[in-house]
Amino acid sequence: MDRIIKKILFPTDFSSNAKHAMDFAVHIAQKLDAELILFHAVNYPIISTEIPYDIIQNEIIESREAALSNLENIRQEILANYSISIEYLVEDGPAGDQIIKLIDDKNIDLVVMGNKGGSFINTVIFGSTTAKVIEKARCPVLAIPMEATNKNIQNILYATDYLDTDIPALKETIWMAHLFHASITLLHVTDSDNEFEKFGVAEYRTKLAQSINYNNIIFKIIKDEDIEAGIERYVLNNQIDLLVMNTRKRGTFEKYYNRSLSEKISYHIHIPLMVFHDNREEI
């Protein structure tokens, strides 16, 4: 495998959504023999200056102690059923900022976290932390929606524009495919019937064969005026278990972006979404 996953960060707010995502994190950690790091961010609201300082301090201490107790309980629950290495920690501050910082401080290889989209309220409030991590993290992020139930991934969909910048991320996707003995479909959504698209696929297939050694890869082109809708429809109609995307600096995809395409997809897709990050400028 091209990527070695040694440390998995699992942020939790102790919600049912986070507990659901934790099942995926534990399952992957067990398969990879990776260390699982449980994390909770205590984010304090703006408090009136009229409240005595000692009362504020007591609130902070109690919140941290409660979080540490919850994490220890989760750790014991996992260890009762799985043989994996687990540590946990609590930090103060906005969850998104603290997760990004921890990725560097702890040399995290993969972040697994819950994702809750759908309504406007859920998108703005519950989806904001996951969206921020998807945008800023330097390592892959696996976002798990509440609707996801299949942990045994058999069919992986990689949404691509057949760019050279996708190849490193595709190489990194192989570790997941090997792990589950899964197929990988490279999906390109286009709004035209240009024959150049087919030529581009053939050329890209040859280029991939020179750098990626994995036999179970399928190439697929579909026509749709809306890239996001085309990807979502394909997922719904083809029993896809995991969607993989590569975020990149604005360039070729700029016409599709008001915010990151992968970020928008994360609000609507009902299967796990894994996002890789490529910060190189596109030509």
Side-chain angles (χ1 to χ4, degrees):
M1 293 186 288
D2 291 281
R3 170 172 287 276
I4 298 175
I5 304 296
K6 295 181 178 179
K7 290 186 178 182
I8 298 174
L9 178 64
F10 177 71
T12 178
D13 59 0
F14 307 120
S15 64
S16 58
N17 186 42
K19 181 174 175 56
H20 176 71
M22 185 184 72
D23 291 340
F24 283 80
V26 171
H27 183 65
I28 293 172
Q30 178 86 351
K31 274 186 168 288
L32 290 170
D33 192 25
E35 179 184 10
L36 183 62
I37 301 174
L38 308 176
F39 171 70
H40 177 74
V42 178
N43 190 19
Y44 306 109
I46 297 174
I47 302 174
S48 171
T49 55
E50 296 178 1
I51 300 176
Y53 179 75
D54 59 335
I55 294 179
I56 297 174
Q57 283 296 100
N58 286 337
E59 278 292 322
I60 292 173
I61 291 170
E62 289 176 5
S63 296
R64 287 183 60 85
E65 288 179 347
L68 287 167
S69 177
N70 284 336
L71 290 174
E72 173 61 22
N73 290 337
I74 291 172
R75 178 177 178 274
Q76 292 300 330
E77 181 183 336
I78 294 172
L79 291 177
N81 298 286
Y82 297 89
S83 178
I84 58 177
S85 175
I86 305 175
E87 71 166 285
Y88 59 83
L89 66 158
V90 174
E91 297 291 349
D92 301 334
D97 294 337
Q98 292 301 320
I99 292 167
I100 299 303
K101 182 175 183 297
L102 272 176
I103 289 171
D104 290 326
D105 291 349
K106 292 285 189 178
N107 294 315
I108 299 300
D109 301 302
L110 174 67
V111 176
V112 181
M113 59 193 303
N115 186 45
K116 194 171 184 179
S119 71
F120 175 77
I121 295 281
N122 285 340
T123 297
V124 171
I125 297 177
F126 296 104
S128 59
T129 297
T130 303
K132 181 169 187 174
V133 176
I134 285 175
E135 179 186 0
K136 301 291 186 181
R138 61 154 183 80
C139 69
V141 177
L142 180 58
I144 310 293
M146 276 295 287
E147 298 85 355
T149 57
N150 183 21
K151 295 190 287 290
N152 187 28
I153 295 166
Q154 295 297 302
N155 298 301
I156 299 173
L157 181 68
Y158 187 103
T160 180
D161 242 6
Y162 295 128
L163 301 172
D164 287 351
T165 50
D166 274 335
I167 293 178
L170 277 168
K171 287 182 178 180
E172 296 193 71
T173 304
I174 296 298
W175 72 264
M176 179 66 85
H178 273 297
L179 182 65
F180 291 97
H181 306 289
S183 67
I184 300 174
T185 298
L186 294 184
L187 175 70
H188 177 62
V189 183
T190 179
D191 58 1
S192 72
D193 291 316
N194 195 323
E195 284 296 316
F196 178 75
E197 300 278 0
K198 296 177 182 178
F199 173 78
V201 173
E203 186 178 36
Y204 201 72
R205 188 194 296 261
T206 301
K207 188 176 296 185
L208 280 182
Q210 296 170 353
S211 58
I212 294 179
N213 182 24
Y214 195 68
N215 294 326
N216 201 358
I217 298 180
I218 303 163
F219 292 79
K220 185 74 176 178
I221 298 178
I222 62 172
K223 184 179 179 181
D224 202 300
E225 298 294 328
D226 187 316
I227 304 297
E228 179 185 351
I231 293 171
E232 290 178 7
R233 272 191 285 271
Y234 192 89
V235 167
L236 289 173
N237 295 329
N238 290 274
Q239 296 183 320
I240 301 301
D241 304 309
L242 173 68
L243 173 62
V244 180
M245 302 185 74
N246 183 27
T247 64
R248 52 179 66 87
K249 289 186 178 180
R250 304 237 175 135
T252 303
F253 266 0
E254 188 160 12
K255 61 183 177 180
Y256 307 130
Y257 278 58
N258 288 319
R259 61 179 184 268
S260 162
L261 180 61
S262 57
E263 187 180 321
K264 290 193 289 183
I265 286 284
S266 73
Y267 291 137
H268 304 292
I269 215 74
H270 293 252
I271 60 171
L273 168 67
M274 177 170 280
V275 181
F276 292 94
H277 301 82
D278 185 347
N279 292 320
R280 292 171 295 183
E281 298 285 354
E282 291 182 13
I283 299 175

